[in-house]
Structures are given as C-alpha cells and as structure tokens.
Amino acid sequence: MATVAKRNFHHPYQPYNIQYELMEALYDCISEGKVGIFESPTGTDGSLEEQIASGFGEEEPSWVVEQAKSQKRTIFIEQKLELEERLKKIRAQELRQKLRYESDEPQSKRFKPNKNELSSNEITEDSFVLDDYNSDDDKNLGSNSASSLSKPEGLSATTTQLMEKLGMFAELPSEREDVEPPDETKIFYCSRTHSQLNQFVDEVRKVKLRPGLWAGAATQSSMKGVTEPSTVKHLPLGSRKNLCINDKVSKLGSAVAINERCLDLQRQGTAKEKRCCFIPTKENQTLVSDFRDHTLSKVRDIEDLGTIGKEIGICPYYATRQTIKPSEIVTLPYPLLLQKSAREALDISLKDHVIIIDEAHNLIDAISNIHSIVVTQSQLKRARAQLSIYLQKFRNRLKGKNRVYITQVVRLLDSVSACVDSVVAKNKDLDGTVNASELTAGKGVDQINLHKLMRYLGESRLARKVEGYIDFTEEQGPNSSSKSRPPSIPVLTHVQSFFQTLADPASEGVYLHERDENNELSLRYMLLDPTHNFKEVVETARAVILAGGTMSPMDDYIRHLFAYVHPDRLKLWSCGHIMPKENLIVWPLARGSGDVAFDFTYSKRNLPVVIDALGQSLIKISGAVPDGMVVFFPSYSYLDQVVQQWQKEAFRGVKRVWDLLSLHKPIFQETKDTSSVENLLREYTQYIDGGKGGLLLSVVGGKMSEGINFADKLGRAVVVVGLPFPNVQSAQWKAKLEYIEKSTVDRGGSQDEGKAASREFYENSCMRAVNQSIGRAIRHQKDFATIVLLDRRYRTERISSKLPGWIKQSIVPGKEDKELFGDVIRSLENFFISKQ
C-alpha cells in the first residue's frame, strides 16, 4: 500500500498508513465543505475520533484562516487570551483542590442552595387551576410565550412554505447580538448513546494541541504561559434528565415528567420560594461564567457537568447554553441534533460548523423514529378519563379561552378514540393504514384550528396541570400509601404529541393501526421520508460526515437523505481493515451437513430437515472453532422455534442436537429481556476465560448485534443463519415500499424503476443489519476470526455485493454445486491451527 503524504494530525500514537488515509480523507472532506459517507471498520475508529479531536493538522485550512480574518480580530484574540488564562488558572486550582472538588461540598460560599427552598413544596388544589389564556390575537401571539413566534416543529415542507407565504411567521429581534462571544468554528460530534459519547471523550483526552491560529496573531508578551500544547475545549450536551441537579425534580425519573416539572418551576407568577434555586438569573451570571470556565478547563464527560453544577450551585442544563459558543467540540446524542425543537431549546446554531454523526448506519431509521409516535387505545381512554375528572373539579373556575380550547381537546380525543373503536369493530387485520380524515371525522372537529390548539396546549401546560391534579388526588385519597408513588408520565402530553402530527397534511407520513403482543390496538404516525427533517442540518452546516464501521450498502443514504445534494458535494469513502487479510476467512455456505440446501427463505426455513441440518452443521463448525462462537438468527421467534426442535427427544437412544452441541461448548441464548444481557455476556465471558469455550445464540438486530465487541477469544467465529428480511406484508413495510415506489415515479422514473428502488431499499435494510452483526468480529490488528454465512443467497452477486469491502476480499470462492461441507470444516481447522 502506498504511503500517503503525512500531515501532522497530532495523533497520540504512530498511526498505520490506513489510518493516515482516513484522516487525510476527513481533512479534505471538511476543508472542501462536502457531505461525506465514511465506512471505517473497527481498528481505524480511533483515528476518526482523534482526527476530530486534533483539529485540522499542522496548517490551518484556508477557510479557517478566512473566517478568522472576517471577525473583529483584535477583540477576538483578546477574548481568546482571557479565556485561556482563566482556564489555565482553573486547571491549577483543580490540581490543588482535587479532593475537595470531587466532594459534594460547594466550592463557593457566594451561593448556597437553601434546603428549605428545595423542600418547600406545599401543594393545594389551587396549584392546578389554569391561568387565564388570552393568546389568540394574531397581532399578539407572543403574549404567553416568545417561542410561539418561531416556526412550529414537525410541519411538512408543504405546510411550512404555505404558512410563510401567508406571513404566519415573525422574526424575533436579536437582543444579544453585540454582547455574545464569537462562535468558535466547532465540530458537533453525535452518536446514539452517552456511553458511546464517553468512549469518544476518552480518545479526545489523549490529544494535545498547539494553541492555534489565534495564538500566532497575538503578541509574544501576551502569549506567555499559553504557547504550550492546549486542551481541546469540549462540551458534552444532554437533556434535563441527564443534567438536572434539583433532587426534587430529578427523582421524577421520566424525561417527560422532569421537563414538565422544570418548566413549571420557572413559570411567570411562580412564588420565588417555590422556583428552582439553580436556574441562571441576572443575579447569578458570575456562577454561569464559572461553570463555563470549569467545564472548558479540562475534557469533561456528561457526569462531570453534574458534579460541577452542584459544587458551583448552578443548573448544568441551562448553563451549558453559554458554554456552546466558546467550545471547539460539542458531543451530543441523536435527539439533540436531529430534532429542530431540541436545537432551538439549547440555542444551538449549526451554521458553518462541522457535523460528524457516528454509528450512522441506522441514521435513516433514527430520524424516522424520532419524528414518529405511537399512542395506544388505553392511553387515549386514560387521557379522556383524566380530563373528565379535571373538568368536573374546575369547570366553574375556567374562563373564556380555556373552556373553549379544553372542549376542543375533548372533541379531538373523542374523534380519535371513535376511529380506534371503529377499527376494532370492523377490521380483523392485525395492522393496516388509517386516513387522517378518519381520525378527525368526529363532531365539530372540522371547525378546530389544530395549529392554534397545539399552541394552546404548549403554552397553557394543560397536560401537566391535569396529570398533576390526578396524582394529587390519588395521594390524598384514603387508599394512598405512606410511600410516595412512582412518578408517572403525563399521558395527555404523549397524546398531545400525537395530535401535533394531525396538523401536518402533507404526504411525508402515514397513520397505521397495529396490535401488540397483548393484542392491544395502537395508532402509529410513521415518518416515511426523513429528507426534509435532515435537510436543514445539511444545508446549514459547513460539512456533514456520516461515519460507521459498517455503512455498506451506501446507496440508501444518497437516495433517501441526500437526493437534493449535488454529486460534486458528495464524498464516499470506504477502507479496509487494519488486520492482515490472512487473519479473516469468510465462508458463504449454500449447503450444509448431509448436503442439505441452506434455504432459509420464509417458506422453507421451518422444515424439520432444514433445522436439523442447521444443528448438525453447527455441531461440526463448533468442533473446529476454538473458544467463543456467536450465531446470529434472523428473529427471536425463529431462534425459539429452532431451539425447541433441537431439544426434542430423539428416537432409539440418538442424542438430541442440543446435547451434541453442548458437548463442544456451553450454550447461551439471548432473549428479548434486555435487562439480562449484561449477566448473559458476563457468564459467557467467564466460561471462555475459564477455557471451556462458549456458543452464544443471538439475534440480528438484538442487543448482542449492536455495540457489543466479541474481540479475540469471545468471537473466533461469527455465524449468520439466513437473511433477516423484514416482514414485507406488515403495514409499516408496505407503506415504506409504496412510498419509495411512488416518489420514484413522481420524480420522473418509470413504474419498473420505482419497483426496483423499493426492492433495493428492502434488501439494503436487511444487509445493513447483517453487516452490523458480522462486524462484531475482528476488533483490532492482531485479532483473527472466521465468518460463516449460512444461506445459498450469500453466493449470489446481488447479496454478496452489499457486504463491506474488507469482508468481500476474504470470501472463499466457490460454487453451490461444487461445495462440499467436509472441505469447509477442514479449511476452518487448518485456519485455526495456523494461528496457534
């Protein structure tokens, strides 16, 4: 492999050539302002993280230089120097006061939360009466909330454009324009969970940087003590649930309840002694600045922010807002980046910044899931019952607009519930589609302005009042326990989110009725096209990078996320693995033990002869593979069916398949119960470390296939049984595929092209799941393993072409009619002998 030109990326270790190639490609993508899709298998991931942390190399890119020149240079440099000096002092202070800093004792006596304030929570029935509501005048929409002037979240492109033409949006004046600090060019690094973000933070801590462009422009005397390698200014962002330090609020548990209670404690008119004492105010801005400086003085994780907030006495959730602009790297989970309402709540601007989305193989699904919602029949009934109880108590105390709007909420609830009841009575299908017009066909609903009603629900906080009153009455009742009840999620708030989708009349989503395992009916709003929701991110940011270990096949991202992006702005990049090619052997098997064809299509996979041949084949494979072996099945139901047949009593003294498998390795089986995953993985690891080996039966798309590393002895073989195609007959998949077919035709394609596009999307969804599972093997350069793909379809070009390049290059060539299972076993035995 040719050696690439080596910029200095400040990598903490000596990178491999393939890691340099990755960093060069990232550098170019960011510098050129492109949209990149990067596939980087485990082993090169660290260089992705360290490149992000290391900035842009030895020389500042021209676009960074130009951006710096365009700012008020002298003021900018002075602010940077002042910040660096403060951060340097804080680092020294923290070294001297480490033990005290990590304790619960506040550092500063300037502010000490009054425990009586936190506990003074006397609640009476009057606490749940709605305030008068007079926000219907279009000329005074913001009388209750300034946010009502901004564009509502969740509207389709068609609706938004129409409302803009009608002048229904107003612009808010920027009151802080002249006093806000400059917005550092930064990287927003996004991943699915805080645990994954913390792994990234650990890599960032290893990187030390030079001061940067601004330092070179400063005078020599002013740079004393600042020219040594600097620490990345990193800020982790999280929700109130992650960052709340008010014990009375954080103990509520659910994110919805915490959000609602937090907002209640800040409402205008709330007595001072009942407000949250940690909320930033004009009087405690010094504490907010202290929080910012302490946060940026070292590379922190999300847990550190809670500790800092408690010690200083300021709310981390709100204080982080003033820390965003001077930060250089901001880490945040999917919802905070992908939801416009979340970005606005945190005052996040993506303009001219760099967006990196890691673990992006499921980004399309993540966007759709974030903007979709399910409401059950029981939730609708409970919301209606709670509202009736509330009205019975407070009807005579409700005035004007409150009474009008609550009546509208009742009508809308009754209309949706009637639609559900009709489905139950008339439709025997497990699932199907529902027209939006059916949901709003109830008496008087056609006269409701849904946009105004949604604004009312948001500003009046009706759901919180209703749920709070229900909780209050239950606690005061004769059957209430002395122990506090577990906090409940406001069901009316959840139903309100479903109602919001009814205000969107465009074709970007669909309504479905479904039944769960308990046969309860539910309504689902499903977003069919994530393009509009992600487009603002792409068009606002300087560069957007989707990265993951298994991004293949990449076609879906181009067609369903970036169809509007000019091809010249797209950059696709995939690299091999850092491990030597001879450390991996991949066998796609069309036939198994006894020369039985491996056809795991839905119509044939349940045949006893196929299940028995699968068992006999796994017995022989496990005998040839040392240590740990992981087998992925297409679904939990199929895994249960296979295990049930393997455990059946055999005839005439022949041992059961299950018993024969157990002779080679102890068997462990994954279940749907996610709480048992850690114990299962711990026990599996203990057996392997003890030299007994282990056979782990898992499911594609299950917990074991996402984020669990089967390195070294834990995964000497990964076996995939069949292809995990989704149920094409389900209402969800019918709607998805019909939408893709229709949208292809609407863009000028033929019917055949539409069908081909929907088929491609369907197959790609399956193969992304397969690729994610087999990516659990080979986790570092010296690791070695085998991958066995059990299904004749893996020998077809249509399927094998969708495997990642580093796996395709290790496939053992062969043909279905000439493949002998005995030769496969000997090949596996020789492979592992060569690694001893």
Side-chain angles (χ1 to χ4, degrees):
M1 184 178 294
T3 303
V4 297
K6 292 181 171 58
R7 289 186 177 98
N8 181 4
F9 289 109
H10 306 277
H11 201 288
Y13 308 111
Q14 180 61 41
Y16 301 104
N17 279 344
I18 196 171
Q19 292 176 314
Y20 269 117
E21 291 176 7
L22 169 60
M23 291 189 287
E24 287 280 356
L26 282 166
Y27 180 98
D28 292 340
C29 186
I30 293 171
S31 296
E32 296 167 8
K34 292 192 172 184
V35 175
I37 304 173
F38 282 70
E39 183 174 63
S40 171
T42 298
T44 53
D45 287 352
S47 55
L48 168 65
E49 295 161 349
E50 281 139 9
Q51 157 65 3
I52 294 167
S54 300
F56 304 101
E58 191 66 37
E59 300 295 329
E60 299 285 0
S62 58
W63 63 272
V64 175
V65 175
E66 290 304 316
Q67 192 172 67
K69 287 180 179 178
S70 67
Q71 296 176 348
K72 294 179 180 179
R73 196 171 180 79
T74 303
I75 297 175
F76 175 65
I77 292 171
E78 288 301 318
Q79 289 175 331
K80 292 285 291 188
L81 291 174
E82 287 177 11
L83 178 59
E84 285 296 329
E85 189 61 32
R86 289 199 305 272
L87 299 186
K88 181 182 176 183
K89 290 179 180 178
I90 286 173
R91 293 184 194 112
Q93 176 188 3
E94 289 187 349
L95 285 175
R96 294 192 303 268
Q97 300 179 342
K98 185 175 181 181
L99 291 176
R100 182 180 177 187
Y101 186 78
E102 291 179 350
S103 69
D104 289 333
E105 181 182 351
Q107 285 186 24
S108 174
K109 294 185 178 179
R110 288 172 296 171
F111 176 86
K112 189 173 183 180
N114 186 340
K115 292 183 178 180
N116 292 329
E117 288 183 11
L118 290 177
S119 59
S120 66
N121 243 348
E122 290 186 15
I123 298 176
T124 64
E125 288 183 351
D126 291 343
S127 305
F128 305 105
V129 180
L130 286 168
D131 297 332
D132 289 346
Y133 185 81
N134 297 298
S135 191
D136 252 5
D137 187 352
D138 288 337
K139 296 180 181 179
N140 190 31
L141 291 177
S143 60
N144 284 51
S145 172
S147 64
S148 64
L149 288 168
S150 60
K151 297 178 184 179
E153 172 72 10
L155 298 182
S156 69
T158 307
T159 304
T160 302
Q161 290 170 3
L162 177 62
M163 294 177 74
E164 285 176 337
K165 288 180 180 179
L166 295 175
M168 296 178 69
F169 298 139
E171 294 295 328
L172 290 174
S174 176
E175 298 176 358
R176 299 177 297 172
E177 192 172 322
D178 296 328
V179 298
E180 286 189 344
D183 195 1
E184 285 273 12
T185 300
K186 62 177 57 63
I187 292 171
F188 287 93
Y189 179 90
C190 178
S191 195
R192 287 184 302 153
T193 65
H194 281 292
S195 62
Q196 290 170 333
L197 292 172
N198 285 344
Q199 292 174 16
F200 169 76
V201 170
D202 289 339
E203 298 297 329
V204 174
R205 287 181 174 131
K206 300 174 184 176
V207 177
K208 298 296 180 183
L209 302 177
R210 68 198 186 294
L213 175 71
W214 58 270
T219 63
Q220 188 172 1
S221 60
S222 67
M223 284 301 299
K224 288 181 179 179
V226 187
T227 54
E228 69 271 11
S230 62
T231 302
V232 178
K233 296 178 187 64
H234 165 253
L235 173 67
L237 290 180
S239 63
R240 288 183 178 86
K241 184 175 182 180
N242 301 119
L243 294 173
C244 179
I245 59 174
N246 186 329
D247 293 336
K248 288 282 186 180
V249 178
S250 61
K251 75 175 184 179
L252 295 176
S254 83
V256 174
I258 290 173
N259 289 342
E260 294 289 336
R261 185 59 181 147
C262 174
L263 294 172
D264 277 347
L265 293 176
Q266 304 173 59
R267 290 201 69 197
Q268 201 170 12
T270 303
K272 184 177 180 181
E273 65 275 9
K274 291 186 178 181
R275 290 187 171 221
C276 178
C277 57
F278 298 113
I279 295 294
T281 62
K282 292 181 180 179
E283 289 75 24
N284 62 14
Q285 280 303 299
T286 301
L287 301 184
V288 176
S289 298
D290 285 350
F291 176 89
R292 176 198 63 203
D293 295 345
H294 277 86
T295 298
L296 297 181
S297 67
K298 293 167 63 176
V299 177
R300 312 281 189 179
D301 58 33
I302 195 74
E303 288 79 15
D304 294 332
L305 266 58
T307 302
I308 294 172
K310 285 181 180 179
E311 293 186 354
I312 293 178
I314 200 72
C315 171
Y317 175 75
Y318 284 103
T320 52
R321 299 184 185 191
Q322 294 190 33
T323 313
I324 293 174
K325 286 198 172 183
S327 301
E328 295 167 336
I329 296 180
V330 177
T331 52
L332 66 173
Y334 274 7
L336 298 188
L337 176 74
L338 300 179
Q339 280 185 298
K340 183 178 180 180
S341 58
R343 297 196 302 271
E344 291 175 344
L346 292 170
D347 198 19
I348 293 175
S349 169
L350 303 179
K351 185 173 176 57
D352 297 328
H353 298 306
V354 178
I355 312 298
I356 310 265
I357 301 178
D358 200 7
E359 297 291 328
H361 61 275
N362 62 350
L363 179 62
I364 293 176
D365 291 338
I367 297 172
S368 295
N369 291 339
I370 286 172
H371 295 90
S372 301
I373 188 170
V374 177
V375 61
T376 66
Q377 189 175 20
S378 60
Q379 287 174 328
L380 291 169
K381 289 180 177 179
R382 176 171 176 172
R384 181 64 171 87
Q386 289 183 348
L387 204 51
S388 296
I389 294 172
Y390 183 84
L391 281 172
Q392 187 175 359
K393 178 66 181 177
F394 297 108
R395 185 185 302 274
N396 294 332
R397 300 177 66 175
L398 297 176
K399 299 178 182 178
K401 296 296 183 181
N402 278 324
R403 185 174 294 184
V404 171
Y405 279 120
I406 292 177
T407 300
Q408 291 181 1
V409 174
V410 170
R411 285 181 179 175
L412 188 55
L413 261 173
D414 288 345
S415 180
V416 174
S417 296
C419 178
V420 173
D421 293 340
S422 174
V423 170
V424 173
K426 299 178 181 178
N427 202 322
K428 295 182 179 179
D429 293 339
L430 291 177
D431 57 9
T433 58
V434 177
N435 292 327
S437 58
E438 297 178 71
L439 296 170
T440 57
K443 182 179 179 181
V445 176
D446 60 335
Q447 302 300 315
I448 297 175
N449 184 323
L450 290 176
H451 292 230
K452 283 188 175 182
L453 180 59
M454 291 304 103
R455 187 173 71 236
Y456 167 79
L457 289 173
E459 294 177 4
S460 68
R461 315 207 68 76
L462 172 67
R464 186 72 252 171
K465 292 285 188 181
V466 171
E467 188 79 11
Y469 177 69
I470 298 300
D471 289 346
F472 173 77
T473 55
E474 290 179 358
E475 288 174 0
Q476 301 297 316
N479 297 324
S480 64
S481 170
S482 57
K483 298 181 180 179
S484 60
R485 293 191 317 115
S488 59
I489 299 175
V491 66
L492 189 55
T493 299
H494 184 73
V495 173
Q496 174 183 328
S497 298
F498 183 82
F499 286 169
Q500 178 67 57
T501 67
L502 292 170
D504 183 2
S507 60
E508 297 163 3
V510 66
Y511 292 94
L512 308 170
H513 67 82
E514 303 170 334
R515 290 188 183 274
D516 61 18
E517 295 176 348
N518 299 319
N519 204 36
E520 182 178 16
L521 192 73
S522 62
L523 291 173
R524 175 187 297 272
Y525 172 79
M526 185 174 72
L527 181 69
L528 294 173
D529 187 356
T531 303
H532 170 68
N533 298 81
F534 196 57
K535 187 175 183 180
E536 183 178 336
V537 173
V538 175
E539 294 188 335
T540 304
R542 171 179 179 80
V544 176
I545 294 172
L546 310 188
T550 50
M551 295 295 290
S552 297
M554 296 183 181
D555 294 347
D556 284 351
Y557 307 105
I558 300 171
R559 292 175 181 168
H560 304 293
L561 275 183
F562 306 128
Y564 56 90
V565 177
H566 194 281
D568 290 344
R569 197 190 173 200
L570 287 172
K571 182 181 183 69
L572 307 184
W573 193 89
S574 180
C575 69
H577 209 290
I578 61 171
M579 59 89 194
K581 181 180 177 181
E582 58 269 18
N583 280 18
L584 176 66
I585 183 172
V586 181
W587 272 103
L589 299 185
R591 312 185 78 82
S593 179
D595 203 34
V596 176
F598 276 149
D599 186 347
F600 290 97
T601 54
Y602 190 77
S603 61
K604 295 184 179 180
R605 69 183 188 181
N606 299 321
L607 296 175
V609 65
V610 174
I611 295 178
D612 286 340
L614 170 61
Q616 295 297 332
S617 300
L618 290 178
I619 289 168
K620 293 177 181 178
I621 294 172
S622 64
V625 174
D627 305 313
M629 174 171 149
V630 186
V631 182
F632 287 102
F633 286 78
S635 67
Y636 286 105
S637 60
Y638 187 60
L639 171 58
D640 291 340
Q641 181 182 346
V642 168
V643 168
Q644 187 177 8
Q645 181 161 327
W646 285 349
Q647 291 178 341
K648 282 183 178 179
E649 290 296 331
F651 296 102
R652 298 178 182 176
V654 177
K655 286 191 174 181
R656 300 182 304 172
V657 171
W658 186 265
D659 296 330
L660 292 172
L661 275 171
S662 302
L663 290 176
H664 290 289
K665 302 178 189 297
I667 303 175
F668 304 86
Q669 182 179 347
E670 179 184 3
T671 65
K672 287 184 179 180
D673 181 12
T674 56
S675 63
S676 65
V677 169
E678 288 188 10
N679 290 334
L680 179 67
L681 189 59
R682 187 183 305 112
E683 190 176 358
Y684 173 72
T685 303
Q686 288 173 350
Y687 269 78
I688 291 172
D689 290 343
K692 297 178 181 178
L695 174 62
L696 179 58
L697 307 180
S698 306
V699 173
V700 174
K703 189 71 174 178
M704 295 296 178
S705 69
E706 293 271 350
I708 304 294
N709 295 337
F710 295 105
D712 301 316
K713 292 183 178 181
L714 293 182
R716 289 302 182 207
V718 172
V719 181
V720 181
V721 179
L723 286 159
F725 282 107
N727 181 7
V728 74
Q729 297 302 318
S730 69
Q732 287 191 42
W733 272 97
K734 280 183 179 179
K736 285 181 182 180
L737 299 180
E738 286 173 3
Y739 180 84
I740 291 171
E741 187 173 336
K742 180 179 181 298
S743 59
T744 301
V745 173
D746 289 344
R747 289 195 296 265
S750 65
Q751 289 288 346
D752 288 343
E753 288 172 330
K755 291 182 183 299
S758 64
R759 179 183 177 184
E760 185 77 4
F761 182 84
Y762 182 62
E763 290 178 348
N764 288 349
S765 176
C766 168
M767 289 307 297
R768 270 197 302 273
V770 170
N771 293 340
Q772 187 67 14
S773 297
I774 58 183
R776 302 300 92 205
I778 306 288
R779 310 304 292 178
H780 57 84
Q781 186 200 21
K782 296 182 179 179
D783 203 356
F784 60 91
T786 182
I787 296 173
V788 184
L789 307 172
L790 303 183
D791 197 297
R792 61 172 179 77
R793 290 170 289 180
Y794 285 111
R795 279 294 185 193
T796 64
E797 173 65 21
R798 187 173 186 89
I799 296 299
S800 63
S801 64
K802 299 179 188 297
L803 293 167
W806 65 277
I807 290 179
K808 284 191 285 190
Q809 70 178 5
S810 296
I811 291 178
V812 178
K815 295 183 178 179
E816 179 179 349
D817 57 349
K818 294 183 179 180
E819 194 172 80
L820 297 176
F821 188 73
D823 293 341
V824 175
I825 299 302
R826 282 188 289 275
S827 170
L828 295 178
E829 290 172 341
N830 292 335
F831 173 78
F832 287 109
I833 289 173
S834 70
K835 300 302 176 185
Q836 291 179 353

